[in-house]
Amino acid sequence: GSGDEWYFWCRRTGRGDLADASKLAATYFNAAWLKTNLDGRLKLMTYHLCEDNQHAALEDVREAVKLATAAKTAEDDIVYEHLHIALLAAELKQDDDAKAARDEVRRLSAAFREKFPEYADINIAVCDVLDGKPPSAEEQAKLDEQMEAKVNLNSCCNYRYFLGRAYDLAGDHETADKYWTLCVTKGPFSRFNATLASKYLSDRRKSTQ
């Protein structure tokens, strides 16, 4: 029952017996219930990304959107799945799908901007980076200040991953590493995105050795 926790811990910390954890994880993530449960689908997405299976991860998060829509998930929550789609589709060079996802993120953000303006600003910034129009240094500093002061810890962790991944895909690895490092040092470590940030930082270290 803890096959996911052990595996993600190994991926996040670089410690433990990843080979044995991977064997248990392969059994855990084969469970049928994961595919019919929103949190389960997001776990699967995280697992597939850790295994560098982006196509499977994209299918997972697309299915997660269907589950979230059926459950009438709030706009400010379902934007999480669409941000993942925007990033994955961009990575896989599925340009039309990536643009459609960014457009949906912008639409959702506009819908809840009055209630959560800081969250909307960060969502739009992720899309702008992917569109090749990153915020200025001054705008980026404002976003960082908003995340520290006005965004809850769980969302802050998620957004640091999203911004990091967007900058990484845009080729700005220095800024990407800045956000990912904050993500993995400040947590919360229960967030799937903290595990992903650590995975990409680890990949970067390996590629420069």
Side-chain angles (χ1 to χ4, degrees):
S2 61
D4 59 328
E5 295 176 5
W6 185 21
Y7 175 82
F8 287 150
W9 181 84
C10 290
R11 284 294 192 186
R12 189 168 59 250
T13 65
R15 301 175 183 176
D17 190 333
L18 180 59
D20 275 356
S22 295
K23 293 176 186 176
L24 185 60
T27 300
Y28 175 89
F29 285 110
N30 197 41
W33 72 267
L34 288 168
K35 295 184 178 181
T36 60
N37 176 276
L38 177 55
D39 188 65
R41 272 292 185 178
L42 296 176
K43 281 186 182 181
L44 277 170
M45 177 200 69
T46 307
Y47 171 67
H48 285 135
L49 281 175
C50 286
E51 293 290 301
D52 293 318
N53 190 343
Q54 286 80 5
H55 287 282
L58 182 55
E59 178 63 20
D60 289 328
V61 74
R62 282 175 171 156
E63 291 300 315
V65 167
K66 294 178 183 177
L67 291 168
T69 301
K72 301 187 185 303
T73 300
E75 292 164 326
D76 54 297
D77 283 333
I78 201 171
V79 74
Y80 173 95
E81 284 80 14
H82 288 286
L83 282 165
H84 271 295
I85 291 175
L87 292 165
L88 277 162
E91 181 180 4
L92 293 170
K93 310 299 183 186
Q94 297 181 10
D95 295 339
D96 290 344
D97 288 346
K99 183 181 183 303
R102 293 195 302 274
D103 288 346
E104 183 64 3
V105 170
R106 293 180 188 277
R107 185 191 71 79
L108 291 167
S109 298
F112 62 74
R113 172 174 290 282
E114 185 175 349
K115 186 176 181 181
F116 299 117
E118 295 82 14
Y119 293 70
D121 286 345
I122 303 168
N123 292 332
I124 298 305
V126 174
C127 294
D128 286 345
V129 173
L130 291 172
D131 277 332
K133 302 174 183 177
S136 65
E138 181 179 346
E139 291 168 336
Q140 188 177 335
K142 181 182 177 183
L143 288 173
D144 292 344
E145 182 181 346
Q146 287 177 322
M147 280 193 285
E148 287 285 353
K150 298 182 179 180
V151 175
N152 69 60
L153 281 176
N154 288 344
S155 294
C156 198
C157 178
N158 289 332
Y159 279 131
R160 284 169 173 154
Y161 167 74
F162 286 134
L163 283 166
R165 189 65 181 135
Y167 276 108
D168 188 54
L169 291 170
D172 186 346
H173 304 312
E174 182 178 352
T175 303
D177 288 1
K178 180 193 86 168
Y179 281 115
W180 284 340
T181 299
L182 286 170
C183 185
V184 301
T185 55
K186 294 194 173 187
F189 306 119
S190 58
R191 298 291 93 191
F192 298 142
N193 284 348
T195 296
L196 292 176
S198 184
K199 176 256 195 299
Y200 285 117
L201 283 173
S202 178
D203 287 350
R204 180 97 74 238
R205 286 195 295 270
K206 290 175 184 176
S207 68
T208 57
Q209 289 177 351

